[in-house]
Amino acid sequence: MITILLIVVPFFSGVVSFFIKDDRPRRALIAVCSIVHLIMAIAVFNFYNKTQGPLAEWFGFDDIGIIFLLITSVLFSGASFYGIRYLSDEEKYAHGGVKGRGLFSPEAVFGGCFQIFLSTMTMVIASRHLAIFWVGIEATTLASAPLIYFHRTKMSLEATWKYLLICSVGIAVALLGIFVLAVANNNRADLFLARLIENANCMNKLWLKAAFLLLFVGYATKMGLAPFHAWLPDAHSEAPSVVSALFSGALLNCAFLGILRAYQICAAAGLGPYCREVFTVFGLLSVIFAAIFILRQGDYKRMLAYSSVEHMGIMSLGIGFGGIAVFGALVNMLGHSLVKAGLFFSAGNILSYFRTKRIEDVQGLMSGKTRRLGVLWMLGFLLITGTPPSAIFFGKLIILRQALSAGFYAVSIIFLAALVIIFIGMARIVIFMTQGENTCQARGDDSYNVKGLTRLCVPAVFFAIAIILGLYFPDWLTGILESASRSLGGP
Amino acid sequence: MGHWLDFIGVTVLLMNLMALSSSRIKSCVRIVAAQGALIGCIPVIKYFPCVAPVTVIFPLTNIILKGVVFPWLLLRALRAANIRKEVEPIGGYPFSLLMGVAIFVLSYWVISRVSGPGQPASVLNAAVSFATFFTGAYIIVSRMKAITQVIGYLMLENGIYLFGLVYLKEQSLLVEMSILLDIFVAVFVMGIAIFHISREFDHIDTEKLSQLKDIMATGQDL
């Protein structure tokens, strides 16, 4: 029952948001919706394995799903509190001065789609049926496309179109994969995950392999694994920072879940080693791609986007190495979601202050009024590149240890080299941005200021959680991560 | 019954080739709509005598959406964008046509060699479904206008749907309906996006949507 509510409440609250004319009550509704969702998610956490209800066969949470749900819900709460402040700060800059053309105002569309986006992500995480999972993933694309176009600029429109088309086509490939999987399951269109895992042994191996590849390519497009990541940097740089944070921290994870579901079925059919090879190849490719593109990046939000490609690659590598690395991949995912969301929030603050995404126009973050912002930006950079103590460092360490003990020496060396290059590339950019004289104040142009403590507090809290997780892992979290990694082929 | 299904398969294939060789976007929209509706007729023919909700409601919604609503949405977007013809694709139309034939031959060759539980009722239709999928993908990558890419996307979906019909026993109504709903919303949102693109840019050439790039333009150093 509560599972269904988790999906339905944000959906209806989103639909209602479209029709609220005034901005303030709509923003309040977003905050309320996020809090309700978070409370329900925590409630589900206590008894998720025993959910009963009319649609329990279709929707429910398992050990893996509950982790994704918690991440999504926490991130969305942070994003909504940051977001309502962001929306009121951006009022005079947003929509290129156009207000209220068409049926709904741009902010009404944003508020509505924002909550429907949460609903669709929850639906993806909760679904126990592969086709419904697909429907959910496609719905996330459609609900979030208008969010990218919030600022009503030409560039954001270009990014929206690329996102819509590339993701829709990619996901269509995944749908073909689902049908091929049904063929492998002796032409039965019975796509409930639990039953597929049960029947996995009787499936046709050739068709199952084909299905896994199609599903992998389809969902990897959405997840942003190289070389299918074409939409990702554009969408992340053009979307409002709140949305970029949710994309990076929550949406990409949802797509990853799709690949993990396919992997679960294949592993049950004894195709584990074959799938792990695929994970390793594309994971490594993503890390390499990210390293190449971060090195000469001119846009700090694109830099963060490529860092997301890198982390998706690391998670994929973790699954590919198998063993304890699966646990590492999940820890890395946890850390990445928190830190990357915090970084995108900080990037939003920088963008609000400097009104530019070009790195060379932003200098002196550590001086003047933006001092706190600069500290956060630097801290976020250190955390995301895996400086201890943080959950990301912990995750990377586990993955690397498994890689070495399982004998993936060549892969490990390339992996480490790419990580070093990414560290240098990002350090160069971040140090340039934080040091020197504040360009905005030098121009005498600081009429625009980032108001409100929320916009600094939310990223700070996220960073703090990531650091704490690096020092101390609570037992309940370890337990849930361990049982999740067991169902993904871990020890 | 079998020869009816083969007849539909051949027609679907011919429609692929027509869409590939046509430069008028309006006729492309109509061809893909007709193709979707035709494929939608297959379950009706297959289960003709028996009447159950799955065999009536779903095919009917499917045919109406793909044959009437989608083309209506797309033609509306087309009017807003005020264009008629597609830009000449890379290699020209004869080359596109050749590609279409090559895709079909390759699909047929692959399908006839694959064994296992996936022994389809009709090898021809199985091959056509793959060919439709890849023809759609080819249209997306080779055509410039945003609206033609949506047409390619719809063709790709047609291929997947045909694949499901050829290989699988019936799906549950809930699943079919929600997939259809998704595609409907997708076409709707893409239509709105095309409308905005034509208003902002005065064209809908995706080739010219290239402002977002990676490497610093002048290669200056920080």
Side-chain angles (χ1 to χ4, degrees):
Chain A
M1 188 60 206
I2 198 162
T3 316
I4 308 297
L5 278 180
L6 272 169
I7 302 169
V8 172
V9 167
F11 182 81
F12 278 109
S13 148
V15 171
V16 169
S17 291
F18 272 101
F19 296 97
I20 299 178
K21 281 270 182 296
D22 203 11
D23 285 343
R24 281 171 184 280
R26 191 181 324 107
R27 288 171 195 157
L29 185 63
I30 295 178
V32 171
C33 167
S34 74
I35 291 294
V36 170
H37 193 271
L38 185 63
I39 291 171
M40 286 197 293
I42 292 168
V44 164
F45 185 76
N46 291 322
F47 54 89
Y48 62 91
N49 262 333
K50 308 179 271 289
T51 38
Q52 297 283 318
L55 285 170
E57 204 184 10
W58 298 84
F59 297 106
F61 298 100
D62 55 357
D63 294 329
I64 309 173
I66 200 77
I67 300 170
F68 285 77
L69 178 73
L70 276 183
I71 294 177
T72 307
S73 200
V74 168
L75 232 57
F76 189 84
S77 305
S80 66
F81 278 99
Y82 177 91
I84 44 184
R85 194 71 231 187
Y86 176 85
L87 285 174
S88 62
D89 284 351
E90 284 295 281
E91 235 162 19
K92 51 180 171 172
Y93 290 95
H95 342 304
V98 191
K99 200 155 195 196
R101 240 205 294 187
L103 199 53
F104 305 110
S105 74
E107 207 189 305
V109 174
F110 182 87
C113 289
F114 197 57
Q115 292 166 74
I116 295 176
F117 183 40
L118 173 68
S119 159
T120 52
M121 282 195 292
T122 315
M123 176 178 161
V124 166
I125 296 166
S127 64
R128 284 179 165 169
H129 186 279
L130 284 192
I132 296 298
F133 187 99
W134 182 87
V135 169
I137 286 271
E138 175 71 23
T140 57
T141 312
L142 302 171
S144 53
L147 298 178
I148 303 176
Y149 187 44
F150 176 61
H151 285 299
R152 300 290 189 271
T153 60
K154 285 190 176 189
M155 303 237 268
S156 66
L157 189 57
E158 179 183 335
T160 310
W161 180 255
K162 283 183 183 167
Y163 173 62
L164 253 182
L165 198 80
I166 295 175
C167 283
S168 292
V169 172
I171 297 163
V173 174
L175 182 63
L176 185 66
I178 291 172
F179 281 1
V180 171
L181 186 78
V183 174
N185 190 20
N186 301 314
N187 298 17
R188 269 180 311 205
D190 176 19
L191 291 166
F192 289 100
L193 187 70
R195 257 178 267 163
L196 283 174
I197 293 174
E198 230 169 74
N199 293 342
N201 263 326
C202 324
M203 286 191 192
N204 180 287
K205 297 291 181 292
L206 180 67
W207 282 81
L208 191 56
K209 274 186 185 176
F212 178 76
L213 275 186
L214 288 169
L215 282 165
F216 190 93
V217 170
Y219 290 137
T221 310
K222 183 95 183 178
M223 180 185 167
L225 281 179
F228 317 111
H229 65 287
W231 65 273
L232 195 143
D234 293 350
H236 281 66
S237 71
E238 291 309 315
S241 301
V242 204
V243 178
S244 314
L246 281 182
F247 272 21
S248 231
L251 179 66
L252 302 187
N253 291 348
C254 288
F256 186 49
L257 184 61
I259 303 179
L260 291 182
R261 296 299 189 205
Y263 173 61
Q264 276 185 296
I265 298 165
C266 291
L271 289 177
Y274 164 79
C275 298
R276 283 199 288 277
E277 264 173 41
V278 177
F279 274 113
T280 313
V281 168
F282 285 101
L284 198 61
L285 259 181
S286 305
V287 180
I288 294 171
F289 258 79
I292 294 169
F293 281 97
I294 278 180
L295 210 51
R296 285 198 60 72
Q297 195 49 253
D299 174 329
Y300 56 89
K301 278 183 84 181
R302 288 183 87 90
M303 172 192 83
L304 294 182
Y306 277 107
S307 159
S308 292
V309 174
E310 174 216 347
H311 279 271
M312 292 302 126
I314 294 175
M315 278 147 62
S316 178
L317 274 175
I319 304 291
F321 292 147
I324 183 92
V326 178
F327 183 80
L330 293 175
V331 174
N332 192 80
M333 180 179 82
L334 207 66
H336 169 251
S337 290
L338 289 167
V339 176
K340 186 54 67 63
L343 270 170
F344 268 116
F345 292 146
S346 309
N349 293 342
I350 298 173
L351 185 56
S352 289
Y353 193 78
F354 287 84
R355 312 301 315 168
T356 176
K357 280 181 291 209
R358 283 163 65 93
I359 290 165
E360 47 170 4
D361 294 339
V362 178
Q363 252 190 307
L365 273 177
M366 287 275 205
S367 62
K369 278 186 178 174
T370 51
R371 203 171 48 253
R372 287 186 194 140
L373 199 52
V375 172
L376 273 182
W377 187 241
M378 185 54 111
L379 181 65
F381 150 70
L382 289 174
L383 289 176
I384 201 79
T385 45
T387 316
S390 78
I392 292 180
F393 168 74
F394 189 35
K396 277 181 182 169
L397 191 71
I398 299 173
I399 292 173
L400 207 61
R401 215 191 79 188
Q402 167 69 16
L404 290 174
S405 66
F408 291 98
Y409 297 116
V411 178
S412 307
I413 290 169
I414 300 173
F415 175 48
L416 267 180
L419 287 189
V420 170
I421 293 174
I422 289 168
F423 183 85
I424 295 169
M426 283 180 83
R428 174 172 158 273
I429 293 169
V430 171
I431 290 172
F432 176 85
M433 285 172 75
T434 45
Q435 303 302 317
E437 198 191 349
N438 194 315
T439 40
C440 230
Q441 273 172 342
R443 270 206 316 270
D445 163 32
D446 53 10
S447 55
Y448 189 81
N449 208 341
V450 180
K451 288 174 241 153
L453 262 178
T454 358
R455 295 188 64 173
L456 291 172
C457 280
V458 173
V461 168
F462 280 5
F463 290 156
I465 300 175
I467 293 173
I468 292 169
L469 285 180
L471 294 169
Y472 165 72
F473 234 70
D475 284 339
W476 56 271
L477 196 58
T478 319
I480 201 107
L481 284 176
E482 269 174 353
S483 60
S485 77
R486 256 197 303 280
S487 52
L488 288 169
Chain B
M1 194 182 79
H3 60 273
W4 276 109
L5 294 181
D6 279 351
F7 173 73
I8 290 181
V10 173
T11 319
V12 167
L13 180 65
L14 287 177
M15 283 171 165
N16 286 347
L17 299 180
M18 273 166 78
L20 275 175
S21 62
S22 169
S23 69
R24 292 188 62 231
I25 296 178
K26 226 182 216 178
S27 48
C28 277
V29 172
R30 292 201 179 115
I31 290 165
V32 172
Q35 191 183 46
L38 193 65
I39 294 173
C41 292
I42 291 180
V44 182
I45 298 174
K46 231 170 158 179
Y47 306 110
F48 177 59
C50 69
V51 180
V54 189
T55 57
V56 178
I57 300 172
F58 177 69
L60 222 63
T61 336
N62 192 24
I63 292 170
I64 291 172
L65 270 183
K66 285 186 180 157
V68 183
V69 180
F70 288 0
W72 178 72
L73 279 172
L74 288 179
L75 290 176
R76 229 174 54 129
L78 198 60
R79 264 201 305 280
N82 197 22
I83 44 153
R84 282 201 200 87
K85 283 198 165 181
E86 175 58 86
V87 193
E88 187 90 351
I90 310 141
Y93 288 100
F95 179 74
S96 284
L97 210 53
L98 274 178
M99 279 299 285
V101 175
I103 286 171
F104 174 69
V105 172
L106 204 68
S107 311
Y108 198 91
W109 182 73
V110 171
I111 292 291
S112 56
R113 281 173 58 96
V114 171
S115 60
Q119 215 38 259
S122 142
V123 178
L124 175 74
N125 279 1
V128 168
S129 76
F130 268 100
T132 312
F133 179 86
F134 286 111
T135 308
Y138 179 69
I139 286 183
I140 292 171
V141 294
S142 68
R143 302 297 198 262
M144 310 300 168
K145 301 277 187 203
I147 197 154
T148 328
Q149 294 180 330
V150 180
I151 294 170
Y153 173 69
L154 282 177
M155 189 177 261
L156 201 129
E157 292 284 354
N158 281 347
I160 295 174
Y161 184 58
L162 182 61
F163 178 87
L165 284 176
V166 172
Y167 278 99
L168 302 180
K169 290 153 201 151
E170 72 263 46
Q171 284 268 14
S172 75
L173 185 64
L174 177 69
V175 172
E176 297 260 26
M177 280 301 206
S178 24
I179 291 177
L180 195 60
L181 177 73
D182 251 6
I183 297 168
F184 167 67
V185 180
V187 173
F188 188 73
V189 174
M190 284 175 185
I192 295 175
I194 289 174
F195 175 73
H196 280 287
I197 292 174
S198 71
R199 201 183 61 191
E200 288 279 329
F201 291 87
D202 294 319
H203 65 75
I204 54 169
D205 293 2
T206 49
E207 199 190 19
K208 291 182 199 154
L209 292 181
S210 55
Q211 287 190 34
L212 299 175
K213 284 208 188 84
D214 264 307
I215 311 295
M216 281 180 277
T218 46
Q220 70 280 57
D221 235 344
L222 294 177

